[in-house]
Amino acid sequence: MPWTTAWSKRLLNNPLVEESYELFLGWSFEGTLEQNLEKGLAGRYGNLGKLRDVSATLSSRLRSVESARALIVLAKAGQPFTDWRDCYRLWVGASEEPFRSFAMEWLYAQRAEGRYAVRVEDVQPFVAEIWKSRRASRPLNDYGLTRTARDLIRTATSLGMLVGGGPARTFATVVLSDTSLLLHAHLITEIEGSTARLVDSPLWRLSYMSPADVHAALLRLHQFKRLRYDVAGSLQQVSLPHQSALKFAEGLAA
């Protein structure tokens, strides 16, 4: 399945991580997206405007339900929320801009350079630069610049990359469970198109993992026979236990 990255500022307005998890818990693969949204959101909001906004946001995020199928299966299989959120973060980061660039480029680099706190004013130069490169014909005013920076921080917090609730957030410590690591390995392989690109894929940055971290994690999974990882000098070969992330998720649910 080909992967595409969509630019959508709407999706930053409300990450809806918990709502997505609960929606997936009761998901019916026999129903349409609209039917699942209607059933999953029924009675959740007393305000009709709020209901419409949430429904529109989730509908936009799930424009390709097939790409999210593994995540739906994981939720229905009872994967703990924190582990599921780690997998959901990968899916969101792989498919949505400007969060993808913010997380994989700015957050990852700032953490590596030793930054402790993240504030709105720190993120504004990144927002201005990426907006100029991607949306030169639609410049942001000062309010839009501030709001987009704030929304990026809020999304990163909801997805477990930052922690805190005040104006200054700090970097979270992300530790993937073995199940989440395996889902990452399968999904990143699908997105990259080959296991040859797995170790060095920048998508691991969504969990603050460098190629050296990935190498160590794969060696450990190999030791416990969860996958096969052969290393000879600079040559690396990964053999995954399933053909796709969906097959892996279905194996857990069986």
Side-chain angles (χ1 to χ4, degrees), residues 106-141:
W106 195 88
L107 273 183
Y108 181 83
Q110 293 296 313
R111 180 178 179 271
E113 291 172 8
R115 178 184 288 275
Y116 176 73
V118 177
R119 298 175 175 84
V120 167
E121 55 266 31
D122 301 324
V123 179
Q124 286 175 332
F126 164 82
V127 174
E129 184 63 29
I130 194 171
W131 212 268
K132 181 180 179 181
S133 66
R134 304 291 183 93
R135 290 291 188 271
S137 62
R138 299 170 59 187
L140 285 175
N141 57 24

Side-chain angles (χ1 to χ4, degrees), residues 7-16 57 61 92 96-100 102 126-127 131 147-156 158-159:
W7 180 284
S8 178
K9 192 168 179 293
R10 159 182 274 280
L11 298 178
L12 287 175
N13 294 336
N14 193 339
L16 299 173
T57 300
R61 172 159 282 150
V92 171
E96 296 178 13
E97 287 282 17
F99 177 73
R100 175 189 173 102
F102 174 65
F126 164 82
V127 174
W131 212 268
R147 178 172 179 174
T148 302
R150 185 181 66 235
D151 288 346
L152 283 168
I153 291 173
R154 180 172 62 177
T155 298
S158 295
L159 290 171

